Amino acid sequence: MIIRRYARAGLAIAAVLAIGGGLTSCASATAAGAACDQSQKRNMGVVAGSTANAPATSLASSAVEQLSAVSKSNGSVTVVVPSGTPQVMGTTLVGSTAQDAIVCQNDQRNKLNQITSYINGLKATAPQVDFLGSIDRAARNLGSKPMGVLVIGSGLQTTDPLDFASSGVLYADPAQVVSDLKSRNLLPSDLNGVTVYWSGMGDVAGAQAPLTIPARSNLIAIWTAIIKAAGGTLSLLPEPASGTAVSGLPAVSTVPIEAVQTKTDWTHPIVIRNSDLLFVKDTATFADQAKAQGVLAQLVPSIEQNGQLVTITGTASKDQATSNTADLALSHQRAAAVKAALVQLGVPASLLQTAGVGHDWCGWKSETDAGGAYSDALAEQNRSVILTSPGVGLCS
């Protein structure tokens, strides 16, 4: 069951963000501008902190964008470190209460810089990792119009009821995982209508073996299903987490990663991120041909052993386009580029066919950030190539 004993350190986060905040309390309305708007506050939960077997926490630009939207709304953030026993660090204002527009904007910038530095410095203090319990805690009391929940981490939970370190859990049917959580009443309870922005899912370090494409694809499918079943939406932030793990942190169990040829479930779509293939923007050309072939080479034995026709489907971001015509063409071209690379790696061309859907498909996700503005970083999650067997849909 989800562990309900939470370490509390609310004073710590409050103290950090109090530094440099003196201007706010004594500011008064002047001709320079109106007071900060307090009528549209939107709050966010944040699950972050360095743990063993994952890259040290470092907020990517797209994650900072989400926090910036909170700051501009004069909202608050609740921070939880995803230790095996989630550490609730407290809730703090990251906006301003100034009575002058210029002071308000300066205060918002300062608070954003402070909360970013604070989050980057957080570390787990208990063994194992519990994302599910941490998300549940971070999503509480976000208000009637929440900005969302921001999660930084690999997604490889190592505590019950979602212990990926247990044999076979990483490769389980997402629907079965959700059914089990529902039967035990263990889905997060406050995610209805909430977007969960996740950075670094599947990215690991230290003793944890890297995830294969099928393993990462199923990990994403499991979390997508969990968050959807809880009433929310998963939005993957594009920048891969990299670097080494912080030394000296409490132990985290490693998750077994099995060979692609023995653990590729062709009853579900296999999603390859654009951040793995690295297409040059708006083209079907790989920025690094050798890296792309290295990624695709993982799938060659599985495709051959599967022995059935595999459809390679390209998807594209909308990028504020009013028509899908150009995106259809681009997604077809990218699927063809992947097919050509797989054939070059030895897959019989007769086992591969291509398709493209542009941005008009079942798995397309919003490309606007928490503040409602278009974000190329969020659009990146819609740029992918998906492999499916006969009878398997893109969103199965």
Side-chain angles (χ1 to χ4, degrees), residues 17-29:
L17 296 188
I19 298 172
L23 284 175
T24 301
S25 60
C26 61
S28 60

Side-chain angles (χ1 to χ4, degrees), residues 170-185:
L170 181 57
Y171 302 95
D173 183 346
Q176 185 57 51
V177 172
V178 168
S179 177
D180 178 63
L181 292 174
K182 277 185 175 180
S183 70
R184 299 165 66 186
N185 197 30

Side-chain angles (χ1 to χ4, degrees), residues 312-336:
I312 305 167
T313 303
T315 74
S317 55
K318 188 173 183 180
D319 295 336
Q320 300 175 297
T322 56
S323 167
N324 196 31
T325 303
D327 289 336
L328 271 174
L330 178 61
S331 59
H332 271 285
Q333 292 163 6
R334 288 185 169 180

